[in-house]
Amino acid sequence: MNSIKSVPARVLNRRGGHSLEAEREQFDKSQAISISKAINTQEAPVKEKHARRIILGTHHEKGAFTFWSYAIGLPLPSSAILSWKFCHVLHKVLRDGHPNVLQDCQRYRSNIRETGDLWGHLHDRYGQLVSIYTRLLLTKISFHVKHPEFPPGLEVSDEVLEKTAGTDVNNIFQLTVELFDYLDCELKLSESVFRQLNTSMAVSQMSAVQCRLAPLIQVIQDCSHLYHYAVKLMFKLHSCLPADTLQGHRDRFNEQFRSLKNFFKKASDMLYFKRLIQIPRLPESPPNFLRASALAEHVKPVVVIPEEAPEDEEPENLIEISTTSTTEPQITSDIFEQTFGPPNGIRDDRDAQIESLKKEVDMLRAEMEKIKLEAQRYITQLKAQVNSLEGEVEEQRKQKQKALVDNEQLRDELERLQKAKQDSDRSQRLCAEAEKKASATEIRYTKLKEKHSELINTHAELLRKNADTAKQLTVTQQSQEEVARVKEQLAFQVEQVKREAEMKLEDQSVQMEQLRQELDARREELDQAQRSLSHAKQAGADLSAQVEALHAEKEVLRRSVSEKECELLSTRGLIQEKELQLSQEADKATREIRELQGRLLEKSNQEQSLQQKLLDEQFGILQETVREAEDILRDAVAKLDDPLHVRCTSSPDYLLSRAQAALESTDALENGHAQYVASMADAAGLVGALALFTHLTADTIVNGSATSHLAPTDHADRLTETCRDCGQRSLDYLGQLKDKQTLGRAELGAVRQALRGVLQLAQELRPKSLDIKQEELGDMVEKEMASTSEAIEDAVRRIEEMMSQARNESSGVKLEVNERILNSCTDLMKAIRLLVMTSTNLQKEIVESGRGAATTQEFYAKNSRWTEGLISASKAVGWGATQLVESADRVVLHTGKYEELIVCSHEIAASTAQLVAASKVKAEKSSKNLGRLQECSRNVNEMAANVVASTKSGQEQIEEKDTMDFSGMSLIKLKKEEMETQVKVLELEKRLEGERVRLGELRKQHYALAGTYDAAEDGEAKPAPAPRRGILKKPPLAQKPGHGEPERDAGPYPPHRANF
């Protein structure tokens, strides 16, 4: 080692600089190799040694700069497996890498999102998994950036969790929701992986299956921590909020618990996971958050990663070494060559020392690698021990928590018992007080009862005295007068006694009522005594003694009256005090009324200001609406001169409906304007009507421009100018609404006149009916349906005649073919006749349900387009039946072609389909006739198919096919025949193409004559070169023979379209 000192300083300095650069290059190279080996397109799991090198690289450079510098260059859009492995490695780097990795990944969120969005739109099995995995990674990055207290590995203590949650219920609530979202993303990834594995019935020992299962190890580690934190926060929420408020949280947690338990169970049953990870077991049922003591029963799920066997790999440089790596001897030799010049073939002592030092460095490096491997094994064992100790500590903490909960329950029970004891003492005191009150009431009742007895005795004595007095009265006038005075005194005394009794019995209402009844009875007895005294003529001997006694009692009563007067004076004093108090309260009320009046005045001023503000706001809303309306109308008017709008077309009918709607909206706009002028506090009616008017008018202008593109030049110019004039007049009207002075004078007359002009031009541009007036449409429909029925019946009759004629004139195979063809034609005619009858019944039902108070002719005239469609369909059915009979006649007589019969079958099937579609346009979906009509339509298609099938089979039976025998031809002869055949094929193809073009032109002319060669049926403005196919298309059986596909080349015109 001392021999290094003999090397020159400049050599050592130069070697040191090159050593750092070489080490950095070696690090970049090793990282690039590890990334390329870990993230590739091979459908196999990521090897742990490559992922571990990448993770160690993040710790070496304290970040993920090198990882992302290589990762962003990977062709992720080219391979879903490559993207899946990239997500797996990124997940491992986030969990186990340096803490600064999170910030580096935050800067590349857009790259992760783009990868997920790309594969999410593609129907690829790995692509769907990549889309879900990227959402999980984005959620993970966002959560840990928002909550830096949680490391990406999610390993935090309960104290840190409590500190992060805090005491604010809102923060706890929000953190719980974010944990639920985090756990949902993890579970969704696991469910997607297992769903694909269940679909393919894969085995976990296959490399393709392990490629999908490998990322679930990190998912299991994340889910165990997230589940534990969610349980903790849910218990804390239930201690702060009512149970009803957290019902949604409980339901979501229970659903996640079932999904997580199912995930852990499936993973535990797989052999792949048994050797890589120890999956915890969850309880059978989720925790009961409504019971606080259930927190003590919760056990934290602990995931254990078993010790890994050392892999055969190249040792990794975990510490910095100043010397050059042995893998780069060329660099060392280059340094010495630059310093001392090229070697001269003679080895000196310094070279020997350098070689020996290199060998020593290699030996030390090998020993260091062995020490590293042993240290890693020790670290793994220690981690397993730490995990087990953490589990034990967690169990002790749970037992402590359970003891605290039990102590809290006992304390609550003690407080409840103390409260119960206090309540019993209080009830005993109340019972004693009630007993005292009952005894006092009983004593009072006894006294009242004694007083009542005394009153009864006194009254009885008075009655006896009255009786004695009546007996002792004399016949003289003087004694009578004395008796009258005594009677008055007795009556006064009785009244006094009654009043005293009433005053003393105020507190006991029941006893007082009884006394009143008894006094009333005594009063009746006293009246009887008075009546007896009036008739008494004699006076008693001891009248004078009784009079003296009565005088004494009178004095007593007088004294009682004086006492009552004193009480009356005192009562008057109280009344005066009350009156004074009332006057004071009246003054106070007057002052309050004045204050309230002042406040009312202030409120009225505020209300006026608010009313003015409301008026300004309503006017402002109106102005904003007017400005938006002006923009819409200007945009519509600009479409008149827009060259890009030339390709848009519309129909006069649709323009007519739009212009009519715009004209009708002017009435609502005028009413809204009048309401706003009458009350400017409410602009809702005017704003709504103005918005409707603007959109309808702009729609009218745009569709007027689109209609002018298909109109003649004169009409097109007039329509364009009328639409432009309509837009200008509408803008003038809106300009009047913008000024308060001209707002009340705004008129819609000019706008209505312009819209009527558009209506008139649209009416002129409508396609005219052929020769039918609207008043005659109803009769025309009935006539056409009747004529169609007659044509069908006539066709059936003619077919029967042809059948009898064929039986007489032919025999053998020809008779069999003719009978089969005519029978199928007869069945087809019967089916068509039934369909026409059902369609007639359905039309009658439609007319009866839709005409209301109008007549049938008025209903048909109102729906003229629909009626014309019915007439056209009926004519087509009758004509098709006639043509089918004529074709069958020619085929039977051998003067026609079988193809004519096939084409007629197709044509009549298409005509009946047109009649069905025209009939069901206005029918109700629940109509029974509609269902029967659809059934008849299907029957017609089947019968038409039978006609085609019988015709083809008969043609094959009758026509003779030449056998092709080329055995006698030479090679040159065969070649010549082949070329001639190719020429004929090309001529026939050219002729076929010409016939297809001719067919397209014929159909185009047919639709032009039928009045349907215009814009799309729905009336909306659409590009002219691609009109939409009509509602009614020929059914598959009604196609022209041999033209199923080529009809696309027959021009842009559909095969059949109803005119309604």
Side-chain angles (χ1 to χ4, degrees), residues 684-848:
L686 180 56
V687 169
L690 185 60
L692 178 62
F693 165 76
T694 304
H695 285 285
L696 290 175
T697 305
D699 197 11
T700 301
I701 294 171
V702 173
N703 282 280
S705 175
T707 305
S708 68
H709 298 156
L710 291 178
T713 305
D714 185 23
H715 287 79
D717 295 339
R718 288 169 54 197
L719 182 58
T720 303
E721 292 302 323
T722 306
C723 291
R724 183 177 284 106
D725 182 60
C726 179
Q728 186 59 42
R729 292 176 185 271
S730 301
L731 290 173
D732 295 340
Y733 173 75
L734 294 177
Q736 292 179 352
L737 294 181
K738 294 173 68 175
D739 191 359
K740 290 185 178 180
Q741 296 179 357
T742 60
L743 178 62
R745 301 192 301 271
E747 294 293 338
L748 282 168
V751 178
R752 287 196 179 99
Q753 183 179 359
L755 288 173
R756 290 192 185 99
V758 176
L759 273 173
Q760 182 179 358
L761 289 174
Q763 190 68 33
E764 294 176 1
L765 290 173
R766 288 186 64 192
K768 306 299 185 299
S769 299
L770 296 178
D771 291 321
I772 305 172
K773 297 181 180 179
Q774 290 189 348
E775 294 78 6
E776 301 175 356
L777 286 176
D779 298 335
M780 193 68 180
V781 171
E782 296 177 357
K783 291 179 181 178
E784 287 299 331
M785 296 301 291
S787 62
T788 302
S789 300
E790 293 176 358
I792 294 172
E793 292 176 357
D794 183 63
V796 172
R797 186 171 59 255
R798 289 183 59 187
I799 290 174
E800 291 177 353
E801 294 175 356
M802 285 188 289
M803 186 176 295
S804 61
Q805 183 180 359
R807 289 172 180 171
N808 296 329
E809 296 179 356
S810 59
S811 62
V813 177
K814 293 184 178 179
L815 177 60
E816 180 185 355
V817 170
N818 292 337
E819 284 183 349
R820 186 163 60 247
I821 292 175
L822 292 177
N823 287 330
S824 61
C825 291
T826 303
D827 295 338
L828 177 59
M829 289 296 107
K830 292 179 180 179
I832 294 173
R833 181 172 58 184
L834 181 60
L835 182 139
V836 171
M837 295 172 60
T838 308
S839 176
T840 304
N841 296 332
L842 178 61
Q843 291 167 18
K844 292 180 180 179
E845 179 184 340
I846 292 171
V847 173
E848 290 299 326

Side-chain angles (χ1 to χ4, degrees), residues 445 448 452 505 507-516:
Y445 176 77
L448 290 173
H452 183 258
L505 295 177
D507 297 333
Q508 301 294 332
S509 60
V510 178
Q511 290 84 354
M512 183 176 67
E513 187 66 27
Q514 293 176 356
L515 290 175
R516 279 184 187 151

Side-chain angles (χ1 to χ4, degrees), residues 552-793:
E553 291 181 359
K554 182 180 179 180
E555 290 296 331
V556 173
L557 293 173
R558 190 174 294 160
R559 285 195 297 272
S560 64
V561 169
S562 63
E563 292 177 357
K564 295 299 181 182
E565 289 178 353
C566 293
E567 292 178 0
L568 182 60
L569 292 173
S570 62
T571 303
R572 287 177 180 174
L574 292 174
I575 291 172
Q576 290 177 356
E577 292 178 359
K578 290 292 183 182
E579 289 178 351
L580 180 61
Q581 185 177 358
L582 288 174
S583 64
Q584 294 176 355
E585 292 179 355
D587 295 338
K588 183 178 179 181
T590 303
R591 291 193 297 271
E592 291 179 354
I593 288 171
R594 291 175 181 172
E595 292 178 359
L596 290 175
Q597 288 177 350
R599 294 179 182 177
L600 181 61
L601 181 60
E602 183 179 356
K603 289 293 183 183
S604 64
N605 295 332
Q606 291 180 359
E607 184 178 359
Q608 291 178 359
S609 63
L610 290 175
Q611 185 71 19
Q612 184 62 33
K613 185 177 179 180
L614 176 62
L615 293 177
D616 296 339
E617 290 178 353
Q618 293 294 320
F619 187 72
I621 292 172
L622 177 61
Q623 297 309 305
E624 290 294 331
T625 306
V626 169
R627 282 193 287 272
E628 289 294 332
E630 288 179 344
D631 293 340
I632 293 172
L633 288 175
R634 290 194 184 97
D635 181 67
V637 173
K639 291 289 193 299
L640 297 173
D641 302 323
D642 190 357
L644 298 178
H645 192 256
V646 175
R647 296 176 61 84
C648 297
T649 60
S650 180
S651 67
D653 290 330
Y654 187 71
L655 175 61
L656 187 66
S657 64
R658 293 292 85 194
Q660 185 65 36
L663 185 60
E664 292 174 356
S665 68
T666 57
D667 298 333
L669 180 59
E670 189 172 11
N671 294 332
H673 179 260
Q675 292 176 2
Y676 179 71
V677 171
S679 175
M680 292 190 176
D682 185 13
L686 180 56
V687 169
L690 185 60
L692 178 62
F693 165 76
T694 304
H695 285 285
L696 290 175
T697 305
D699 197 11
T700 301
I701 294 171
V702 173
N703 282 280
S705 175
T707 305
S708 68
H709 298 156
L710 291 178
T713 305
D714 185 23
H715 287 79
D717 295 339
R718 288 169 54 197
L719 182 58
T720 303
E721 292 302 323
T722 306
C723 291
R724 183 177 284 106
D725 182 60
C726 179
Q728 186 59 42
R729 292 176 185 271
S730 301
L731 290 173
D732 295 340
Y733 173 75
L734 294 177
Q736 292 179 352
L737 294 181
K738 294 173 68 175
D739 191 359
K740 290 185 178 180
Q741 296 179 357
T742 60
L743 178 62
R745 301 192 301 271
E747 294 293 338
L748 282 168
V751 178
R752 287 196 179 99
Q753 183 179 359
L755 288 173
R756 290 192 185 99
V758 176
L759 273 173
Q760 182 179 358
L761 289 174
Q763 190 68 33
E764 294 176 1
L765 290 173
R766 288 186 64 192
K768 306 299 185 299
S769 299
L770 296 178
D771 291 321
I772 305 172
K773 297 181 180 179
Q774 290 189 348
E775 294 78 6
E776 301 175 356
L777 286 176
D779 298 335
M780 193 68 180
V781 171
E782 296 177 357
K783 291 179 181 178
E784 287 299 331
M785 296 301 291
S787 62
T788 302
S789 300
E790 293 176 358
I792 294 172
E793 292 176 357

Side-chain angles (χ1 to χ4, degrees), residues 227 253-254 257-258 283-289:
Y227 168 76
F253 177 83
N254 292 336
F257 175 82
R258 289 190 294 270
E284 294 297 328
S285 58
N288 185 7
F289 299 111

Side-chain angles (χ1 to χ4, degrees), residues 263-281:
F263 170 40
F264 281 2
K265 184 177 182 303
K266 288 181 179 179
S268 301
D269 296 338
M270 287 190 173
L271 185 62
Y272 174 71
F273 290 108
K274 290 183 179 179
R275 64 183 183 84
L276 296 177
I277 188 171
Q278 182 177 345
I279 303 174
R281 290 185 176 272

